[in-house]
Amino acid sequence: MNQQDAIDAINQAASPKIKYAFADIDGILRGKVIHRQKLLDSLADGSGFCDVVWGWDSSDTPYDNGIITGWQSGYPDTPVRIDLSTLRHIPWEDNLPFFLADFSNPNGPDLAACPRSLLKRIASLCRDMGFHAEYAQEFEWFNFRETPQSLQTKGFRSLEPLTPGMFGYSILRPSLESSFYHDLFDLLTQFDIPIEGLHTETGPGVYEAAIMHDEVLRAADKAVLFKTGVKEIAYKHGIIATFMAKWNADLPGCSGHIHQSLWNADKSQNLFFDPSKPGKMSELMRQFIAGQLYCLPHITPMFAPTINSYKRLVEGAWAPTTVTWSFDNRTTALRILNQHEKLTRVEHRVSGADTNPYLALAAALASGLYGIKHQLSLDIPPSVGNGYADKQYGILPANLYEATQQMARSPIATELFGSEFVNHFTRTRDWEWRQYARQVSDWELKRYFEII
């Protein structure tokens, strides 16, 4: 949609209200409802948003190590741009017009911390190299018959799952909540997030959805909106949806796998597919895979951004732990699917459901392009059988602290994303680790309180 089409649409809307939002460093949508006139005025005069959203964490606690903003700067307004091409109407809110925004400055550089601005820069580099990046993210998440109030009252314990037991790919279980199940598919599709597939996964109350693929920035927009959209639709049904990577040690984790391919500029040819080469893999695809494997240990926090992320990345939990790739193998970091040209792609399996999609897709694309730019050779052979056992080419960091320290020191990360972003992002992850380290867990109390 071009700018004039968007302006005409909001002028013709029955209500003068407009909602807009942007994703913070954790991928959480922050925004507000404004009058249509405020939006129209901002097209000429610009707009601002309090930059505290880059100076606090997911619970609104200010960082003590921030440099982009903080008490030292007084948390001023920062230029924000509402992207009119992202106009949607929220079907579960009386078709309220909605826009995505990012912190881009028409009179200067974009805000280094802004995830959407970072992905836009990586996508532009991809186009300059002559490629069209086609991406999609799929998500698993747990559903509970709870409310925000009951979560607090129960202390996040003894929660009631939407359905009991382990029943993956069940046709039966969704019929218990058919209105919720079909609302997810229908309302998200109406919200311009077309769903390719929706089904139960193994675990009590677990669903999985695959979003239809699109150009990389639009794919990330859809993934960000998908997570919040699912939560809002769930609210309407008295349900809480969680995208935590691992909410229970005894149950499977929740992935956010990334499907990716590069095409020529007019999208007439999948550049990863070459039937004349071994494995039908083009040299470009091999370089792309080599780049992703080489960069992965340097940028792991962008695929595993929370303390909890690393509870999912353990052996035998359907999530990778090693620097590996293979053909249609769900135990490796990269899974290659290449039966025919149209569907040939690389599935990045490290990414969890708790990721910020802008950062996860930026990391995946930038690392793949790094391999192409440097013409890296794919010297790592495909894993055969159990990828967890194939540790000869490296393993993933074991926790957020280890991963963050490695990224903060890495010249590779700086080359991919710039020093300002790496500095800000790793400071936020260091803060996250320190908040965790100062807590006393139930496990510690049970293990040490009486006995030690």
Side-chain angles (χ1 to χ4, degrees):
M1 178 173 292
N2 62 39
Q3 178 168 306
Q4 190 57 53
D5 289 338
I7 292 172
D8 291 343
I10 62 176
N11 278 327
Q12 294 166 10
S15 170
K17 293 183 295 185
I18 303 292
K19 180 183 282 190
Y20 78 92
F22 58 89
D24 69 11
I25 201 69
D26 289 293
I28 300 167
L29 284 181
R30 309 274 188 170
K32 60 177 70 173
V33 172
I34 59 175
H35 194 283
R36 69 160 68 102
Q37 193 57 51
K38 183 175 179 64
L39 171 59
L40 296 173
D41 290 344
S42 75
L43 300 180
D45 304 329
S47 184
F49 204 102
C50 178
D51 75 357
V52 70
V53 294
W54 306 112
W56 64 20
D57 64 13
S58 57
S59 64
D60 293 4
T61 304
Y63 300 126
D64 65 6
N65 60 349
I67 55 173
I68 285 182
T69 191
W71 299 117
Q72 72 277 7
S73 65
Y75 298 110
D77 283 353
T78 300
V80 64
R81 184 185 73 94
I82 298 174
D83 188 342
L84 296 187
S85 72
T86 65
L87 173 61
R88 291 166 162 80
H89 293 83
I90 308 174
W92 55 90
E93 290 190 27
D94 297 323
N95 287 317
L96 179 69
F98 175 88
F99 295 91
L100 283 164
D102 48 59
F103 279 68
S104 56
N105 188 348
N107 302 312
D110 293 346
L111 184 73
C114 177
R116 191 170 191 265
S117 295
L118 177 70
L119 179 56
K120 286 166 61 179
R121 179 164 61 82
I122 303 300
S124 178
L125 171 64
C126 182
R127 290 191 297 272
D128 290 344
M129 293 174 69
F131 308 129
H132 168 90
E134 193 76 2
Y135 271 65
Q137 195 164 12
E138 58 178 323
F139 292 100
E140 298 165 344
W141 74 97
F142 280 77
N143 300 286
F144 296 90
R145 208 178 302 279
E146 303 288 348
T147 67
Q149 289 75 21
S150 71
L151 291 178
Q152 297 293 330
T153 300
K154 293 182 174 184
F156 296 86
R157 299 290 182 185
S158 301
L159 306 180
E160 181 184 352
L162 188 61
T163 54
M166 314 290 276
F167 205 167
Y169 301 106
S170 170
I171 295 299
L172 177 64
R173 281 289 189 259
S175 66
L176 283 170
E177 298 288 342
S178 61
S179 60
F180 171 53
Y181 191 74
H182 291 290
D183 269 359
L184 286 172
F185 198 106
D186 297 339
L187 296 180
L188 288 168
T189 299
Q190 291 174 38
F191 194 46
D192 192 24
I193 308 175
I195 304 301
E196 186 178 83
L198 176 65
H199 62 88
T200 65
E201 255 296 353
T202 186
V206 189
Y207 287 171
E208 178 177 353
I211 306 170
M212 286 190 180
H213 56 83
D214 204 339
E215 183 274 331
V216 64
L217 179 61
R218 290 194 294 269
D221 286 344
K222 291 174 180 179
V224 167
L225 293 174
F226 173 87
K227 292 174 70 174
T228 296
V230 165
K231 293 175 184 178
E232 292 184 0
I233 294 169
Y235 277 170
K236 299 287 187 182
H237 291 267
I239 294 167
I240 288 286
T242 179
F243 289 84
M244 274 187 70
K246 186 86 167 178
W247 86 271
N248 186 302
D250 299 323
L251 294 172
C254 293
S255 70
H257 299 157
I258 302 167
H259 295 262
Q260 44 192 345
S261 58
L262 294 183
W263 296 64
N264 59 355
D266 66 3
K267 299 199 309 183
S268 62
Q269 181 185 2
N270 186 340
L271 300 178
F272 281 177
F273 185 77
D274 188 341
S276 69
K277 296 293 178 64
K280 304 176 185 176
M281 297 168 59
S282 69
E283 183 58 29
L284 188 85
M285 185 184 198
R286 296 180 65 85
Q287 292 172 352
F288 187 90
I289 294 170
Q292 291 201 324
L293 293 175
Y294 179 75
C295 295
L296 179 55
H298 299 268
I299 58 176
T300 302
M302 297 175 77
F303 300 111
T306 72
I307 298 295
N308 184 250
S309 302
Y310 298 82
K311 308 294 176 68
R312 168 181 165 264
L313 299 174
V314 295
E315 292 187 11
W318 299 101
T321 59
T322 56
V323 180
T324 48
W325 72 278
S326 192
F327 297 97
D328 200 5
N329 186 327
R330 288 180 168 87
T331 67
T332 57
L334 303 181
R335 174 180 173 233
I336 311 307
L337 299 160
N338 63 340
Q339 292 304 307
H340 54 83
E341 179 180 349
K342 184 178 179 181
L343 299 180
T344 293
R345 63 197 186 274
V346 178
E347 180 187 27
H348 203 301
R349 296 181 57 81
V350 179
S351 181
D354 58 344
T355 50
N356 178 335
Y358 292 119
L359 298 187
L361 269 63
L365 179 57
S367 57
L369 294 178
Y370 179 92
I372 295 171
K373 177 182 176 182
H374 293 277
Q375 297 185 326
L376 297 186
S377 174
L378 184 56
D379 296 326
I380 299 176
S383 293
V384 177
N386 186 359
Y388 295 117
D390 190 358
K391 301 178 181 180
Q392 59 183 318
Y393 299 101
I395 59 175
L396 299 182
N399 55 55
L400 183 60
Y401 176 80
E402 181 183 326
T404 298
Q405 294 303 307
Q406 190 161 343
M407 183 172 179
R409 296 190 301 264
S410 171
I412 301 298
T414 299
E415 180 179 343
L416 294 178
F417 310 115
S419 59
E420 284 188 275
F421 170 79
V422 172
N423 191 6
H424 175 75
F425 179 64
T426 56
R427 283 171 179 263
T428 69
R429 298 311 94 188
D430 175 71
W431 163 269
E432 194 77 7
W433 176 263
R434 287 187 288 119
Q435 302 319 293
Y436 167 71
R438 61 196 291 265
Q439 301 302 313
V440 177
S441 68
D442 290 348
W443 183 89
E444 292 169 277
L445 289 172
K446 292 175 183 177
R447 194 169 187 87
Y448 303 129
F449 190 90
E450 179 190 3
I451 301 299
I452 200 71

